[in-house]
Amino acid sequence: MHDSDDERAPFLHAADSALSPEQKRLTTRTILLYAAPSFALTVLYGSPYHVFAVKFYVDTLGVRPISISLATAVARAVDAVTTPTVAWAVERGVIGKRLCGSLGRRARTIVLATMLACTAMYWLFNPRSDNPLALSFGVLSSLFLVFSAMLGQAYTALGMELATRYDERTVLTGVESLFAFAGDILYLALPNFLASAYSTVTPAAASRRVMHEWCIYALAPALLLLACFVPLRDPDRSAAASPPDRRPPMAAALHRALRNPIFAMYVPVKICLYVVGQLMASVFPFYVEHVVQAPLAEVGTWTGAGFVALYAAALPGVLLGVVLSRRLGKKGCLLLCWTLGCANMLTALATATPGGTLRMLVLLGINGLLGGAWAAADKAIGGDIVDHDALYSGEPQQALFQGLWTFFPKLASIVFQPTISAALALAGYVPGAHPQPPAVRHAINALFIVLPVAVSLFGIAVMLRFPIDRRAHERIVRALAAHSMGEAAVDPLTGRSVPPPLRGSAGGDDYVDDARAWGLLDSLRASELRALAAAAVVGRGAPFAAALSRRLY
């Protein structure tokens, strides 16, 4: 049975992309159009919110810390719970379809999510005084985190779609990381420059004015740079234009992704990386104050200098990551950077002495260099995993995979964030005391160095088993090309023969490939199977559901 090109396009785009690699080679213009907006978009899914929000509400607005802690926990829980649903909606391309239908499905999601996230962030830092501040913080933080997750998933998915070649992906993510790290440095340092203009007013009033101006300077470029996405066209606009009900339901899509063995293997790596980063960022101010023992009046200065050293060193680190990925492959780059990072942290543990602030900056700079290299390779390797999954699913699911990769670390953060406070309390931490008991300094060293190194070693052990390298990816691309011609292909990672993905017949939508049909049904629960059959029997089911039921009953 032969299908027309129009009928096959919505389902076989990933393989068709592999047939003409020269046409798919990225131009410098495309790379810059994609990467440049991350300079401003990093405000919406990067560090500034986590650095400024809680401190602003507690120190400036006078909200009780316990209320902010509860609101933060609720916001993080809402963000984690909604992530799979948001990822599925982004993958279907239904977000913003009526408002920005002329754009590609990724671009319109990015535009809408950016506008919503900017609105939520502005009101978060400019709350109305007649509203309960703790409640406002919880609601606006929840909205902001959901919209920023939507933005991050669509933006990362667009990058995976634009770059289809193994090394090209690393170049694209590397340039994007350069802009993002530069934006982090600017927006983290900007409040200090703005505060110098308000030295004659009270600290609370100055802080409110500074954050108001910061929002304007940070959010306006994010909105203006959205124009860069207008010339970009999603490579799979034909898939986005296909009827939404031809795609499997959310539960089936999530089950299929979770059962992908390569995806499941990389989830612990993502969790380990997230836990390490969050632990070190949260404990770093305590480390500066009580282990390095910077002068009390200069703790804030040295803490800020540490973050600047980290992000500034990440800029050349990104270039290092691109070079290492070309020479060693992405897996080799990740393993080398992670191993050297562990050695660097153990060096910090062995050489830490009171007053060693300059040594601390050097060690943080080394970590930033390695972290920048890691970021370039880590963002690129996700597209390789999505390509492998397309052998079985019939279409790439970039946003869905990206959403699930962030879902599990978010769950982990709910568990480990209270661990920091609990560990310090058990060690005898006394707020405001200088110096702290020796047990507290040991606990801070354990949280800042020993525990991150232990988690990293586990992640390295998992990463050693990762099977996709340059040669394997080339064979995956050839397998997708075979599928595009209706031929079976061999999975280069397992050696199994994989039949072509689902195709509609020349007469309509009522043909379902047996292997794909049983593969989908196998991922559904009994209740979902009954609902699928019932919907088709009464005539209200999607064509896809009706076709499956007619085929099987």
Side-chain angles (χ1 to χ4, degrees), residues 104-276:
R105 59 171 176 161
R106 304 301 188 206
R108 64 173 175 255
T109 303
I110 292 170
V111 170
L112 182 61
T114 299
M115 292 189 294
L116 293 174
C118 285
T119 302
M121 174 170 268
Y122 179 83
W123 288 114
L124 179 67
F125 286 104
N126 296 272
R128 293 173 59 92
S129 57
D130 55 344
N131 290 334
L133 292 177
L135 179 62
S136 296
F137 178 83
V139 172
L140 291 171
S141 291
S142 299
L143 292 174
F144 172 75
L145 292 175
V146 170
F147 296 146
S148 64
M150 185 190 304
L151 168 62
Q153 291 161 16
Y155 188 59
T156 303
L158 177 60
M160 292 181 187
E161 292 175 350
L162 290 174
T164 58
R165 303 162 71 90
Y166 185 84
D167 290 320
E168 209 171 49
R169 277 186 176 136
T170 311
V171 173
L172 182 67
T173 58
V175 176
E176 182 267 328
S177 296
L178 280 175
F179 281 99
F181 285 132
D184 275 327
I185 295 172
L186 173 64
Y187 293 120
L188 287 172
L190 185 58
N192 292 328
F193 291 101
L194 296 176
S196 61
Y198 299 105
S199 58
T200 59
V201 299
T202 62
S207 180
R208 290 188 69 116
R209 294 181 187 179
V210 165
M211 295 314 300
H212 175 75
E213 292 188 13
W214 180 84
C215 283
I216 295 175
Y217 288 127
L219 301 182
L223 295 172
L224 292 175
L225 286 172
L226 290 178
C228 293
F229 294 106
V230 174
L232 293 178
R233 288 291 179 263
D234 295 358
D236 55 342
R237 284 177 63 89
S238 59
S242 62
D245 52 23
R246 299 230 11 202
R247 293 168 178 255
M250 182 175 72
L254 295 175
H255 290 169
R256 178 177 294 279
L258 292 173
R259 292 179 59 183
N260 182 288
I262 313 303
F263 166 83
M265 181 184 298
Y266 205 61
V267 165
V269 175
K270 288 285 191 181
I271 294 176
C272 290
L273 182 65
Y274 186 84
V275 169
V276 168

Side-chain angles (χ1 to χ4, degrees), residues 256-345:
R256 178 177 294 279
L258 292 173
R259 292 179 59 183
N260 182 288
I262 313 303
F263 166 83
M265 181 184 298
Y266 205 61
V267 165
V269 175
K270 288 285 191 181
I271 294 176
C272 290
L273 182 65
Y274 186 84
V275 169
V276 168
Q278 291 294 310
L279 270 174
M280 296 182 67
S282 301
V283 182
F284 180 59
F286 297 96
Y287 181 80
V288 174
E289 184 173 355
H290 301 296
V291 177
V292 178
Q293 296 182 12
L296 189 59
E298 301 176 7
V299 168
T301 301
W302 284 107
T303 301
F307 281 115
V308 170
L310 189 72
Y311 283 108
L315 296 176
V318 168
L319 303 178
L320 176 65
V322 173
V323 173
L324 289 177
S325 295
R326 286 181 176 273
R327 292 182 176 273
L328 305 177
K330 297 167 191 173
K331 174 183 175 180
C333 174
L334 296 178
L335 287 173
L336 178 62
C337 293
W338 218 346
T339 304
L340 293 178
C342 290
N344 184 58
M345 293 307 297

Side-chain angles (χ1 to χ4, degrees), residues 294-504:
L296 189 59
E298 301 176 7
V299 168
T301 301
W302 284 107
T303 301
F307 281 115
V308 170
L310 189 72
Y311 283 108
L315 296 176
V318 168
L319 303 178
L320 176 65
V322 173
V323 173
L324 289 177
S325 295
R326 286 181 176 273
R327 292 182 176 273
L328 305 177
K330 297 167 191 173
K331 174 183 175 180
C333 174
L334 296 178
L335 287 173
L336 178 62
C337 293
W338 218 346
T339 304
L340 293 178
C342 290
N344 184 58
M345 293 307 297
L346 292 176
T347 302
L349 178 64
T351 61
T353 56
T357 50
L358 293 179
R359 184 186 299 109
M360 175 195 72
L361 292 183
V362 172
L363 293 173
L364 282 175
I366 295 174
N367 258 23
L369 185 73
L370 298 172
W374 169 279
D378 174 56
K379 292 180 180 179
I381 208 170
D384 302 339
I385 299 174
V386 171
D387 286 345
H388 176 261
D389 180 73
L391 279 176
Y392 295 89
S393 66
E395 58 182 351
Q397 303 179 90
Q398 297 93 343
L400 183 66
F401 273 48
Q402 178 63 21
L404 292 176
W405 273 321
T406 60
F407 170 68
F408 292 103
K410 288 175 181 177
L411 290 182
S413 71
I414 298 175
V415 176
F416 79 78
Q417 281 288 359
T419 304
I420 299 174
S421 300
L424 291 177
L426 289 174
Y429 179 78
V430 180
H434 297 88
Q436 294 285 344
V440 172
R441 294 196 294 273
H442 296 325
I444 293 173
N445 271 325
L447 291 170
F448 186 70
I449 297 177
V450 178
L451 185 56
V453 168
V455 173
S456 295
L457 291 177
F458 174 77
I460 290 172
V462 175
M463 193 67 200
L464 285 170
R465 299 176 55 245
F466 187 75
I468 300 180
D469 54 15
R470 181 180 286 101
R471 182 174 299 179
H473 185 259
E474 290 173 353
R475 287 184 286 179
I476 290 172
V477 170
R478 288 197 292 270
L480 290 172
H483 275 183
S484 73
M485 295 182 288
E487 302 173 358
V490 176
D491 181 350
L493 304 184
T494 63
R496 293 169 49 190
S497 177
V498 183
L502 171 68
R503 294 178 291 173

Side-chain angles (χ1 to χ4, degrees), residues 52-66 68-69:
F52 298 137
V54 172
K55 183 175 177 60
F56 176 70
Y57 271 77
V58 173
D59 291 349
T60 302
L61 302 182
V63 183
R64 291 189 305 167
I66 186 64
I68 292 299
S69 298

